[in-house]
Coordinates of all heavy atoms in Angstrom, one line a residue:
V50 N 33.3 17.8 -15.1 CA 33.0 17.4 -13.8 C 31.5 17.0 -13.6 O 31.2 16.0 -12.9 CB 33.3 18.6 -12.8 CG1 33.0 18.2 -11.3 CG2 34.8 18.8 -12.8
S54 N 30.1 13.4 -12.4 CA 29.1 13.4 -11.2 C 27.9 12.5 -11.7 O 27.4 11.7 -10.9 CB 28.7 14.7 -10.8 OG 27.8 14.7 -9.8
W58 N 26.6 9.1 -9.9 CA 25.3 9.0 -9.3 C 24.5 7.9 -10.1 O 23.6 7.2 -9.5 CB 24.5 10.2 -9.4 CG 24.9 11.2 -8.3 CD1 25.5 12.5 -8.6 CD2 24.9 11.0 -6.9 NE1 25.7 13.0 -7.3 CE2 25.4 12.2 -6.3 CE3 24.3 10.0 -6.1 CZ2 25.4 12.4 -4.9 CZ3 24.4 10.2 -4.7 CH2 24.9 11.4 -4.2
G136 N 30.2 9.6 -4.7 CA 29.2 10.4 -5.5 C 29.0 11.7 -4.8 O 28.8 12.8 -5.4
S137 N 28.8 11.8 -3.5 CA 28.7 13.0 -2.7 C 29.9 14.0 -2.9 O 29.8 15.2 -3.1 CB 28.5 12.8 -1.2 OG 27.3 12.0 -1.1
A138 N 31.1 13.4 -2.8 CA 32.3 14.2 -3.0 C 32.3 14.8 -4.3 O 32.7 16.0 -4.5 CB 33.6 13.3 -2.8
F139 N 32.0 14.1 -5.3 CA 32.0 14.7 -6.7 C 30.8 15.6 -6.9 O 30.9 16.5 -7.8 CB 32.1 13.7 -7.8 CG 33.5 13.2 -8.0 CD1 34.0 12.2 -7.4 CD2 34.3 13.9 -8.9 CE1 35.4 11.8 -7.6 CE2 35.6 13.6 -9.1 CZ 36.2 12.5 -8.5
A140 N 29.7 15.5 -6.2 CA 28.6 16.4 -6.3 C 29.1 17.8 -5.7 O 28.7 18.8 -6.2 CB 27.5 15.8 -5.5
L141 N 29.9 17.7 -4.7 CA 30.5 19.0 -4.2 C 31.4 19.6 -5.2 O 31.5 20.9 -5.4 CB 31.3 18.7 -2.9 CG 30.6 18.2 -1.7 CD1 31.4 17.8 -0.5 CD2 29.6 19.3 -1.2
A142 N 32.1 18.8 -6.0 CA 33.0 19.3 -7.0 C 32.2 20.0 -8.1 O 32.7 21.0 -8.7 CB 33.9 18.2 -7.7
V143 N 31.0 19.4 -8.4 CA 30.1 20.1 -9.4 C 29.8 21.5 -8.9 O 29.8 22.5 -9.8 CB 28.8 19.2 -9.7 CG1 27.9 20.0 -10.5 CG2 29.2 18.0 -10.3
F144 N 29.5 21.7 -7.6 CA 29.1 22.9 -7.1 C 30.3 23.9 -7.0 O 30.2 25.1 -7.1 CB 28.4 22.8 -5.8 CG 27.1 22.0 -5.9 CD1 26.8 21.0 -5.2 CD2 26.1 22.5 -6.8 CE1 25.7 20.2 -5.3 CE2 24.9 21.8 -6.8 CZ 24.7 20.7 -6.1
V145 N 31.5 23.3 -6.8 CA 32.8 24.1 -6.7 C 33.3 24.5 -8.0 O 34.0 25.5 -8.1 CB 33.8 23.3 -5.8 CG1 35.1 24.1 -5.8 CG2 33.3 23.2 -4.4
A146 N 33.0 23.7 -9.0 CA 33.6 24.0 -10.4 C 33.3 25.4 -10.8 O 34.2 26.0 -11.5 CB 33.1 23.0 -11.4
P147 N 32.1 25.9 -10.6 CA 31.8 27.3 -11.0 C 32.5 28.4 -10.4 O 32.5 29.6 -10.7 CB 30.3 27.5 -10.8 CG 29.7 26.1 -10.8 CD 30.8 25.3 -10.2
M192 N 23.3 16.1 1.8 CA 24.3 17.0 2.3 C 25.1 17.8 1.3 O 25.2 19.0 1.4 CB 25.4 16.1 3.1 CG 24.9 15.5 4.3 SD 24.0 16.7 5.5 CE 25.4 17.8 5.8
P193 N 25.4 17.2 0.1 CA 26.1 18.0 -1.0 C 25.3 19.2 -1.4 O 25.8 20.3 -1.9 CB 26.4 17.0 -2.1 CG 26.3 15.7 -1.5 CD 25.3 15.8 -0.4
N194 N 24.0 19.1 -1.3 CA 23.1 20.1 -1.9 C 23.0 21.4 -1.0 O 22.6 22.4 -1.5 CB 21.7 19.5 -2.1 CG 21.6 18.6 -3.3 OD1 21.7 19.0 -4.5 ND2 21.6 17.3 -3.1
V195 N 23.5 21.2 0.2 CA 23.7 22.4 1.1 C 24.6 23.4 0.5 O 24.4 24.6 0.4 CB 24.0 22.0 2.5 CG1 24.1 23.2 3.4 CG2 22.9 21.1 3.1
L196 N 25.8 22.8 0.1 CA 26.8 23.6 -0.4 C 26.4 24.1 -1.8 O 26.7 25.2 -2.2 CB 28.2 22.8 -0.6 CG 29.4 23.6 -1.0 CD1 29.7 24.7 -0.1 CD2 30.6 22.7 -1.2
G197 N 25.7 23.2 -2.6 CA 25.2 23.7 -3.9 C 24.3 24.9 -3.8 O 24.3 25.8 -4.6
F200 N 26.6 28.1 -3.1 CA 27.3 28.6 -4.3 C 26.3 29.1 -5.4 O 26.6 30.0 -6.1 CB 28.1 27.4 -4.9 CG 29.5 27.2 -4.2 CD1 29.7 26.0 -3.5 CD2 30.4 28.2 -4.3 CE1 30.9 25.9 -2.9 CE2 31.6 28.0 -3.7 CZ 31.9 26.9 -3.0

Side-chain angles (χ1 to χ4, degrees):
V50 177
S54 178
W58 284 118
S137 296
F139 276 93
L141 293 176
V143 171
F144 296 123
V145 173
M192 295 308 296
N194 288 284
V195 176
L196 188 60
F200 278 113

